[in-house]
Amino acid sequence: MEYFTQQLINGVTLGSIYGLIAIGYTMVYGIIGMINFAHGEIYMIGAFVSMITFLVLTLVGGIWLPLALLAALIMAMLFTSIWGWTVERMAYRPLRGSFRLAPLISAIGMSIFLQNLVQVLQGARVKPLQPLISGGFEIMEKDGFTVTISYLQIFIIVLTIVLMTIFTLLINKTSLGRAQRATEQDRTMAALIGVNVDRTISTTFVMGAALAAVAGLMVTLYYGVIDFYIGFLAGMKAFTAAVLGGIGSIPGAMLGGLLIGLIEAFWSGYFTIEYKDVAAFSILVLVLIFRPTGLLGKPEIEKV
Amino acid sequence: MSVQNQKLDMLSLLKESGLAALIAAALALPLAGFKTFDVNGTLTAETRFNWVLVAAVVVFFGRMAISIGQKTFFPSMGQAAGGAAGSIGDVINQNRTLLLCLLLAAVIIFPFTPMANRHSLDLAVYVLIYVMLGWGLNIVVGLAGLLDLGYVAFYAVGAYSYALLATTYDLSFWICLPLAGIFAASFGIILGFPVLRLRGDYLAIVTLGFGEIIRVVLLNWYEFTGGPDGISSIPKPTFFGLAEFSRSGSDGLPPFHELFGIEYSSLHKFMFFYFLILALALVTNLFTLRIRKLPVGRAWEALREDETACRSLGINPTNTKLSAFAIGAMFAGFAGSFFATRQGFISPESFTFIESAIILAIVVLGGMGSQVGVVLASIVLVLGPEIFRELAEYRMLAFGGLMVLVMVWKPKGLMSKRNPTVLMHNDTNAKQGAAK
Amino acid sequence: MSDQSHEVSGVPLLEVEHLTMRFGGLVAIGDLSFTAMREQITALIGPNGAGKTTVFNCLTGFYKPTEGRLTLHHPVKQEQYYLEQMDGFRIPQVAGVARTFQNIRLFGNMTVLENLLVAQHNKLMVESGFSVFGLLGLKKYRKAEAEAIELAKYWLDRVGLYDKADWNSSNLPYGDQRRLEIARAMCTRPQALCLDEPAAGLNPKETLEMNELFHFIKEEEKIGLLLIEHDMSMVMEVSDHVVVIDYGRKISDGTPDHVKNDPAVIRAYLGEEEDEELPPEVAQDFEGENA
């Protein structure tokens, strides 16, 4: 039971991170119907930006921790968003309306490019960071096994909840959200009634990138090591989460992320840790076979 | 154009380039502006703002050059460049047979020329493996329009099938080769059956996941695959079971040079590998050229064009896609077993996602469905990095950038002219519409 | 509708019984029944959004109907097929129901001739020994392919596209594309041909040619045609049988003469005020035939 609780806590933490990345996939897919293959790399850039911000802050001298976190959060979101915007502008926008596979292939190229760019600029070795937030609560103890929830885990979970609330309000209550939903339904029609489609799509990428940057920040703090390659696996798992939840559905992405996090935590807790990545993909395949629309996705009605 | 107009133009040009430079600086600031490194196990950073400056300046002038180029020198640069590439394609197409015969002759004579040595033959074999993989994937991506991001998984299945069969059961290469193809095709069918019913982009991600699963399994199933250590001392093929390529022969087979009464040369083995992969690649090519003109090949292309219309004509989309997927996998299996026997050693290292991406890039950059394009792209993408070895670090960077650029510039690839599989009229007059 | 004279007689080809299609809460088609006869042209008409294309999508397997039975009486095989139970691709393959699309769906990067050969896929597949004979270059397959090209040539002659057989189909003018799509559907050798607004976007001359093509298919191929059309004069001229639907429900069914005088139809097209005069051009359309 104690072990179970511990895995549950770990799983929810991990799931928060995946959920934040998954939203980027699901939003982009919803609005332009493409898999933004480079999204995992955007998250990786977010992790690097936050790491560098922390390092710079340490260099200029000690700074009150909450302020440092806030600074890193803002920096990561800001700079990563610019990357997200640029990627869309350079690699995807010229291909809108091109044949089906073109943007996907361009996205794969972009993903390889960004990965290697960071490798060239920052080196291939893993980057270890001193733990910034340590300590935690002991929830229960039995037979020498202590269940703890660290401050960091609390930080991650709370921040995720706050961001997702803000984000949901943004989508549901603002004119920006309305423009997004209109563009999703029918791009031509949306343009005709005065929605700036290009800008709406750009905003979608920016929002996705900002959330991925937060996930990058979290992962930097949580694991303490990052390298240029982390985007690949995380991206794939987040995409799996998006599909699991029902691609195009934002609550679905959150739910999917949570489930993938839990599956991974329990799998490595109870089975073999080596195959934890396989577990996530096997679930993806199973979901696609038995419920191609995902858990919360709407069935697609084919227009002929 | 009036002077004032030009001034205005200049102003907007400056503004545009300035904005681009500003964005470049913002992009570069966190990632290039600081250098992170270890000092006694602690990570620290130092500034490197000159790099940011360089990035901004390069982008500023680059953007300006592109704008000026577009407006003054080539009012339709895209079209002009496209036209140039198109006309090269036309020239190639017009003298197709002649060119192909010359190319084939050159490729066959090559090992007997003084240029052939261990190194050049090795390189040629290396390129030919990718040509074969590219042709195999072209069936899946180019003809059937199925985006397979885990093609390397089937290559791995082929390689491990041969390695395991040859080392465990002592089977000869010539028995293992078809078996490896069959295994790879079966994997293709098992994977394809559930996912080929889904939309195209799901297939991409599932095949990608499958590629990773295969790699993780190879890495962790120690008893069976040797884990990260891989499998070594994989036997070399014999000369069709007649002779062997060592100086003295073994296993009761005479050495190759004695069988043919020629002088021993260590090159014979490499030449044999060269011709073997050449033959395998050519078989792949001939198969593709032939099947394209058969009903199933036309159905693949039709599916790529419009799946809904295909269903309304009574074509079973799942089975048709499955056949393309399995056949593509089979050729990867053949290539894999050749790879295993040539290397003599295989490990999961050789079957990463990057390999899939390279093969895909070969198909895409060459122009989907174009067989000649695959050859050209393989030469550029495989040989290029070998020549610029010092720049190995930038290899994948250039590679990713090239993929994006080619897609943006010519989304259909460099050699994208499609030849009809059948003609009603043989005179060129009636074909004008096709050329339009 | 008690009067028997307007009822259409003939040999049933396609029976639609109690067809209902719901999307979530929306009832696109509600309890629709009608019968299309062999060697007749049955037109399905109704205002925009009445659910006509949805009926076609149910008939050709793109949608699974929520309720109802769709029976095809195959005149050659002497079998009955329940279309609602069949996979989409088996409907043209086994039951012989072919269709065209409202937004033309050709294989744009393939030539006109290739489009027609793809339509003969299933037959050629068998003849090519599922590609084995074909790969070996056996005579059997080459003969089959020559026959397939002959059939393609026959239909290309019919629709006047023989000279353009080697064109990329996306390079054809609009009207040619419409006719090519019909030729392609005919190459599957169907028993029932469903045409979704075949005259949309055609000029009067092309529409006239289209009418002739329909007559030819009906008379020479002896199959049934099902037609969705907005062009009222065309419907009244070519059809043997007209079914009018509105909001997914049948409001009238019978001979063209019966339908055009049916008050329910006039109400559906022109609104509630029954005693209002028809606008002159509509009246002309409705009566064009009698004049």
Side-chain angles (χ1 to χ4, degrees):
Chain A
M1 186 62 210
E2 289 68 32
Y3 191 59
F4 178 85
T5 317
Q6 186 65 65
Q7 294 306 335
L8 189 70
I9 294 169
N10 297 347
V12 171
T13 315
L14 206 56
S16 305
I17 298 175
Y18 289 147
L20 285 174
I21 312 174
I23 289 179
Y25 278 111
T26 225
M27 278 189 358
V28 167
Y29 193 92
I31 203 157
I32 53 175
M34 76 168 271
I35 298 173
N36 179 11
F37 209 87
H39 191 59
E41 265 49 65
I42 294 292
Y43 146 85
M44 181 268 294
I45 288 175
F48 267 87
V49 175
S50 21
M51 179 201 70
I52 288 168
T53 313
F54 282 129
L55 285 179
V56 171
L57 289 176
T58 340
L59 280 185
V60 297
I63 184 165
W64 189 45
L65 185 64
L67 211 60
L69 284 177
L70 190 68
L73 192 67
I74 291 171
M75 286 297 159
M77 286 173 88
L78 178 69
F79 284 108
T80 313
S81 301
I82 301 176
W83 274 102
W85 181 86
T86 313
V87 166
E88 193 272 334
R89 187 71 189 75
M90 307 291 287
Y92 306 153
R93 193 180 296 180
L95 287 172
R96 230 177 269 157
S98 185
F99 82 115
R100 199 163 53 82
L101 295 181
L104 196 53
I105 289 161
S106 178
I108 293 168
M110 199 29 114
S111 162
I112 296 172
F113 177 79
L114 292 178
Q115 220 177 72
N116 287 278
L117 184 70
V118 173
Q119 187 191 359
V120 165
L121 292 175
Q122 296 293 339
R125 298 180 54 185
V126 293
K127 305 281 174 190
L129 193 73
Q130 297 290 326
L132 288 170
I133 309 174
S134 47
F137 295 113
E138 289 183 8
I139 299 177
M140 48 176 139
E141 194 191 334
K142 197 180 173 192
D143 308 329
F145 186 85
T146 331
V147 179
T148 53
I149 176 162
S150 66
Y151 295 135
L152 186 57
Q153 287 176 321
I154 297 174
F155 170 74
I156 289 176
I157 295 168
V158 169
L159 183 58
T160 305
I161 293 171
V162 169
L163 278 175
M164 287 195 175
T165 315
I166 295 175
F167 184 77
T168 312
L169 288 176
L170 210 62
I171 293 289
N172 289 333
K173 305 276 175 203
T174 64
S175 64
L176 172 70
R178 266 197 302 281
Q180 268 177 338
R181 278 175 287 148
T183 309
E184 198 175 316
Q185 293 280 319
D186 188 333
R187 209 180 297 161
T188 320
M189 208 50 220
L192 281 176
I193 56 167
V195 173
N196 186 335
V197 170
D198 277 344
R199 190 183 297 161
T200 310
I201 293 175
S202 283
T203 319
T204 309
F205 274 84
V206 165
M207 283 160 82
L211 291 179
V214 180
L217 170 83
M218 289 172 173
V219 120
T220 310
L221 292 170
Y222 195 54
Y223 289 123
V225 281
I226 56 171
D227 62 36
F228 70 96
Y229 200 62
I230 57 168
F232 181 68
L233 258 189
M236 275 216 283
K237 284 181 195 158
F239 181 78
T240 307
V243 173
L244 182 60
I247 196 138
S249 149
I250 289 166
M254 299 179 198
L255 178 71
L258 207 59
L259 286 175
I260 292 286
L262 287 171
I263 288 162
E264 221 180 288
F266 282 112
W267 188 282
S268 22
Y270 289 96
F271 304 103
T272 50
I273 194 150
E274 289 87 14
Y275 287 104
K276 74 178 161 76
D277 298 337
V278 174
F281 293 127
S282 313
I283 284 162
L284 173 68
V285 175
L286 290 178
V287 169
L288 287 178
I289 296 167
F290 293 109
R291 209 182 147 81
T293 53
L295 298 173
L296 301 183
K298 286 183 280 283
E300 238 169 273
I301 295 171
E302 189 175 23
K303 286 240 166 75
V304 286
Chain B
M1 205 185 275
S2 72
V3 181
Q4 194 170 9
N5 222 335
Q6 264 177 346
K7 249 187 198 164
L8 242 167
D9 251 28
M10 205 58 213
L11 203 69
S12 72
L13 187 64
L14 276 176
K15 225 164 110 186
E16 261 175 33
S17 308
L19 195 67
L22 203 68
I23 291 166
L27 291 175
L29 182 64
L31 292 179
F34 297 93
K35 187 182 170 209
T36 55
F37 53 92
D38 266 334
V39 179
N40 304 327
T42 326
L43 201 61
T44 179
E46 64 179 30
T47 58
R48 197 166 52 179
F49 290 141
N50 50 340
W51 284 38
V52 180
L53 197 69
V54 170
V57 169
V58 167
V59 168
F60 182 81
F61 288 108
R63 179 80 183 85
M64 205 178 244
I66 290 173
S67 293
I68 292 175
Q70 272 176 346
K71 277 172 200 151
T72 35
F73 299 113
F74 319 96
S76 50
M77 194 171 70
Q79 277 173 14
S87 62
I88 294 169
D90 279 351
V91 170
I92 291 176
N93 268 315
Q94 276 157 17
N95 307 308
R96 202 180 175 82
T97 335
L98 182 70
L99 272 172
L100 287 181
C101 287
L102 281 177
L103 195 71
L104 195 65
V107 167
I108 290 172
I109 294 167
F110 168 69
F112 305 105
T113 61
M115 278 195 303
N117 52 38
R118 222 189 126 153
H119 180 66
S120 65
L121 278 175
D122 247 358
L123 259 184
V125 167
Y126 190 51
V127 172
L128 280 171
I129 291 180
Y130 282 94
V131 170
M132 176 169 179
L133 287 169
W135 278 339
L137 186 63
N138 213 358
I139 298 175
V140 185
V141 179
L143 289 185
L146 304 167
L147 191 52
D148 183 352
L149 296 182
Y151 196 59
V152 77
F154 304 116
Y155 185 45
V157 168
Y160 272 85
S161 309
Y162 172 63
L164 288 169
L165 286 172
T167 52
T168 329
Y169 298 106
D170 231 7
L171 292 176
S172 91
F173 177 77
W174 300 104
I175 296 174
C176 294
L177 184 72
L179 284 178
I182 291 170
F183 281 141
S186 322
F187 266 86
I189 290 172
I190 293 168
L191 177 72
F193 195 70
V195 295
L196 284 173
R197 293 176 307 146
L198 305 169
R199 315 186 20 154
D201 4 14
Y202 281 172
L203 179 72
I205 218 81
V206 172
T207 47
L208 176 66
F210 176 68
E212 278 302 293
I213 290 177
I214 290 274
R215 203 177 58 83
V216 171
V217 169
L218 290 178
L219 212 52
N220 291 302
W221 196 359
Y222 206 87
E223 312 81 65
F224 192 58
T225 64
D229 304 339
I231 300 172
S232 51
S233 7
I234 302 166
K236 302 278 172 210
T238 58
F239 185 74
F240 307 106
L242 295 175
E244 228 247 343
F245 286 99
S246 64
R247 189 178 277 277
S248 53
S250 63
D251 294 337
L253 292 177
F256 177 77
H257 61 285
E258 279 178 16
L259 185 76
F260 284 85
I262 48 174
E263 209 168 306
Y264 174 76
S265 158
S266 61
L267 267 189
H268 286 157
K269 188 169 85 182
F270 297 97
M271 283 162 74
F272 180 65
F273 276 135
Y274 176 84
F275 282 115
L276 184 56
I277 185 67
L278 183 64
L280 283 171
L282 286 178
V283 166
T284 315
N285 183 30
L286 289 178
F287 180 90
T288 311
L289 291 180
R290 186 112 214 193
I291 205 152
R292 234 194 107 214
K293 302 191 172 182
L294 291 181
V296 72
R298 285 195 203 107
W300 289 340
E301 290 199 74
L303 269 177
R304 180 192 66 199
E305 299 287 313
D306 193 330
E307 186 173 332
T308 303
C310 277
R311 268 189 289 161
S312 82
L313 298 174
I315 295 174
N316 181 340
T318 314
N319 288 358
T320 310
K321 284 189 210 165
L322 203 58
S323 59
F325 204 63
I327 288 170
M330 180 181 75
F331 285 115
F334 291 151
S337 58
F338 173 82
F339 176 75
T341 187
R342 185 192 82 126
Q343 299 292 101
F345 163 76
I346 50 168
S347 75
E349 285 282 285
S350 313
F351 307 105
T352 53
F353 167 67
I354 281 302
E355 293 297 312
S356 290
I358 292 174
I359 305 165
L360 180 69
I362 285 173
V363 173
V364 169
L365 302 188
M368 281 193 257
S370 160
Q371 299 291 91
V372 184
V374 165
V375 179
L376 294 180
S378 307
I379 291 171
V380 172
L381 290 182
V382 180
L383 221 50
E386 285 297 319
I387 292 166
F388 301 103
R389 259 193 183 279
E390 317 84 82
L391 301 174
E393 205 185 340
Y394 300 99
R395 173 186 167 190
M396 292 312 289
L397 188 69
F399 194 82
L402 202 65
M403 257 170 109
V404 177
L405 281 181
V406 170
M407 273 299 114
V408 171
W409 174 49
K410 266 194 103 128
K412 298 227 154 153
L414 297 173
M415 306 256 313
S416 53
K417 194 173 152 58
R418 180 183 179 276
N419 286 311
T421 59
V422 57
L423 288 176
M424 182 76 89
H425 314 281
N426 282 313
D427 56 323
T428 41
N429 219 4
K431 278 187 227 161
Q432 50 159 334
K436 249 203 272 185
Chain C
M1 287 216 270
S2 52
D3 161 26
Q4 289 292 308
S5 64
H6 63 78
E7 294 258 327
V8 178
S9 58
V11 189
L13 174 68
L14 189 59
E15 267 180 273
V16 175
E17 291 162 282
H18 307 292
L19 174 67
T20 299
M21 183 76 214
R22 287 189 209 102
F23 297 109
L26 178 81
V27 181
I29 308 170
D31 196 28
L32 176 71
S33 303
F34 68 89
T35 306
M37 306 297 172
R38 209 190 289 176
E39 292 174 51
Q40 287 191 2
I41 297 177
T42 306
L44 204 57
I45 66 169
N48 277 329
K52 303 180 297 284
T53 298
T54 310
V55 174
F56 268 29
N57 284 343
C58 289
L59 284 174
T60 49
F62 285 94
Y63 297 158
K64 284 272 161 268
T66 320
E67 280 164 38
R69 166 130 290 176
L70 309 166
T71 318
L72 184 105
H73 303 274
H74 201 293
V76 180
K77 298 186 191 167
Q78 297 291 333
E79 298 240 17
Q80 288 186 6
Y81 294 103
Y82 300 121
L83 303 182
E84 80 280 359
Q85 296 170 359
M86 295 171 73
D87 275 336
F89 71 90
R90 290 181 54 83
I91 291 175
Q93 185 189 1
V94 180
V97 179
R99 75 170 288 176
T100 64
F101 296 91
Q102 201 170 343
N103 313 312
I104 307 167
R105 282 175 170 269
L106 292 171
F107 306 120
N109 280 320
M110 301 173 83
T111 66
V112 170
L113 176 60
E114 283 173 319
N115 267 274
L116 299 188
L117 291 184
V118 169
Q120 302 173 56
H121 175 78
N122 288 309
K123 185 168 179 290
L124 283 175
M125 217 36 201
V126 174
E127 297 290 340
S128 74
F130 297 90
S131 310
V132 179
F133 302 159
L135 280 173
L136 299 174
L138 293 193
K139 213 174 193 165
K140 181 172 182 235
Y141 170 68
R142 269 181 288 161
K143 194 165 150 266
E145 194 185 33
E147 280 168 16
I149 293 176
E150 271 312 302
L151 181 66
K153 183 168 178 286
Y154 174 78
W155 282 108
L156 286 176
D157 271 336
R158 273 296 129 219
V159 298
L161 285 173
Y162 178 65
D163 291 338
K164 296 175 181 171
D166 296 329
W167 283 36
N168 254 2
S169 60
S170 59
N171 292 341
L172 291 177
Y174 186 81
D176 286 353
Q177 294 198 9
R178 281 245 174 255
R179 276 174 299 156
L180 174 60
E181 211 190 11
I182 294 171
R184 189 179 68 179
M186 286 312 296
C187 278
T188 66
R189 299 173 188 271
Q191 291 307 322
L193 175 64
C194 302
L195 300 158
D196 198 345
E197 297 197 25
L202 299 188
N203 63 34
K205 184 174 159 279
E206 288 172 322
T207 309
L208 215 62
E209 287 168 3
M210 199 57 100
N211 284 355
E212 283 164 20
L213 182 62
F214 295 159
H215 277 299
F216 174 83
I217 292 173
K218 183 176 88 170
E219 307 292 334
E220 297 295 316
E221 298 297 313
K222 311 229 178 289
I223 68 169
L225 282 87
L226 219 68
L227 184 69
I228 291 179
E229 193 46 72
H230 277 301
D231 186 334
M232 206 51 75
S233 62
M234 176 180 190
V235 168
M236 294 305 159
E237 195 187 318
V238 300
S239 325
D240 303 296
H241 175 186
V242 178
V243 177
V244 190
I245 58 176
D246 192 15
Y247 295 108
R249 285 171 200 282
K250 186 165 87 173
I251 56 173
S252 185
D253 183 347
T255 57
D257 277 328
H258 163 76
V259 165
K260 71 182 160 197
N261 297 318
D262 189 335
V265 178
I266 296 166
R267 204 160 44 232
Y269 270 88
L270 301 172
E272 285 302 328
E273 292 127 302
E274 270 174 68
D275 33 22
E276 193 181 315
E277 286 277 308
L278 291 181
E281 68 274 14
V282 180
Q284 212 176 348
D285 271 356
F286 272 84
E287 271 140 40
E289 223 179 334
N290 301 349

